[in-house]
Amino acid sequence: MEGLFITFEGVEGCGKTTQAKLLYEFLRQKNIECVLTHEPGGTRISEKIREILLDSENGEMVYLTELFLYLASRSQHTFEKIMPSLKSGKVVICDRYFDSTLAYQGEGRNIPKQKVIEINNFATGGLIPHLTFLIDIDVEKGIERIRERKGFDRMEGQNTEFHKRVRGAFLSLARENKERFRIIDGSKSIELIHKEIVNIVLNFI
Ligand code: TYD
């Protein structure tokens, strides 16, 4: 049996990590076999690549290096962890996947979208999530949450204009892929958002 691949997307501080975790705990309680993972990272090798990507000292990283490192992390993650889990029938919940690459590297860094799609498909064997939650929130609000929580990493440290372009790109992606995306209002309470997500997922299973 094929499993179910669910991804969470959104700008910094939108709350998707919290929601991914809550969904994971909910499904576990229902005795549904699932895996909670994230990008960049998710495997030993991918976590090493993540460190390079997010290190604020790597300010001189050129955009194409950034793109290829995200994809290198994803290839390892996809083939080592995500695909085998799906093949064994599990639900895989992933905090960010390739829509982040389209939004951050495509729109944010101005790398042609078609190229990003092409090499992403090559890097992942064309794996596409069954369901993607876009937790949408005002950019300033999200950044404020991060400021309160911790310092900024290399990506979070980009200017507000950058993050606004990223948010716009996520919303366009959601509009262009209506069957896969669900847009969730990230300004609602954690409990309300969780309930909304659970209802959608239970309808899917
Ligand atoms: P992370 O700490 O996981 O941030 P968040 O909690 O917001 O998910 O760092 C991931 C960062 O990497 C985040 O700023 C988004 C960025 N990113 C890309 O630019 N491209 C990608 O393909 C992915 C997966 C993430």
Side-chain angles (χ1 to χ4, degrees):
M1 194 194 85
E2 266 287 300
L4 181 64
F5 186 23
I6 303 174
T7 57
F8 282 81
E9 299 282 3
V11 295
E12 320 293 329
C14 70
K16 64 189 167 37
T17 306
T18 305
Q19 292 300 334
K21 213 164 148 196
L22 285 174
L23 176 63
Y24 172 74
E25 282 159 8
F26 174 87
L27 294 176
R28 284 278 304 261
Q29 277 193 351
K30 293 257 170 260
N31 287 322
I32 294 171
E33 274 204 282
C34 54
V35 173
L36 176 63
T37 189
H38 64 267
E39 289 209 350
T43 68
R44 191 181 61 85
I45 293 170
S46 305
E47 290 296 334
K48 289 191 174 177
I49 301 172
R50 175 189 174 90
E51 275 177 37
I52 302 172
L53 276 164
L54 300 185
D55 188 343
S56 298
E57 292 203 343
N58 291 338
E60 77 275 30
M61 190 183 295
V62 302
Y63 295 168
L64 284 177
T65 306
E66 180 182 290
L67 171 69
F68 284 115
L69 286 178
Y70 276 111
L71 293 176
S73 160
R74 179 161 310 137
S75 289
Q76 187 66 37
H77 188 209
T78 301
F79 290 107
E80 183 187 331
K81 190 165 172 183
I82 300 176
M83 277 189 176
S85 302
L86 290 174
K87 284 217 171 81
S88 66
K90 292 183 182 147
V91 176
V92 175
I93 301 168
C94 191
D95 186 350
R96 295 196 186 281
Y97 197 63
F98 84 88
D99 296 299
S100 278
T101 318
L102 279 169
Y104 283 80
Q105 282 66 51
E107 189 64 35
R109 303 303 199 195
N110 251 317
I111 301 173
K113 197 173 153 189
Q114 219 31 58
K115 267 272 174 275
V116 176
I117 292 175
E118 221 172 273
I119 48 177
N120 175 77
N121 284 345
F122 186 52
T124 61
L127 181 68
I128 298 172
H130 298 106
L131 186 58
T132 299
F133 290 105
L134 171 58
I135 317 274
D136 183 51
I137 193 178
D138 183 65
V139 164
E140 273 100 0
K141 208 175 204 167
I143 300 276
E144 204 40 54
R145 285 185 185 167
I146 303 227
R147 203 191 306 279
E148 286 164 11
R149 208 163 62 205
K150 56 173 187 123
F152 291 150
D153 64 33
R154 195 180 62 87
M155 295 304 286
E156 288 158 354
Q158 302 298 315
N159 62 31
T160 311
E161 274 322 301
F162 175 88
H163 291 293
K164 283 190 173 159
R165 284 212 305 283
V166 169
R167 182 190 184 193
F170 275 132
L171 286 168
S172 302
L173 278 167
R175 278 191 289 268
E176 288 158 17
N177 299 278
K178 284 204 174 74
E179 64 305 328
R180 171 165 71 88
F181 268 92
R182 299 291 180 276
I183 303 178
I184 309 282
D185 176 358
S187 67
K188 290 188 192 160
S189 74
I190 292 178
E191 294 72 32
L192 270 180
I193 295 178
H194 174 57
K195 274 192 190 143
E196 201 176 330
I197 288 173
V198 160
N199 282 337
I200 293 170
V201 171
L202 289 180
N203 270 332
F204 229 86
I205 289 180

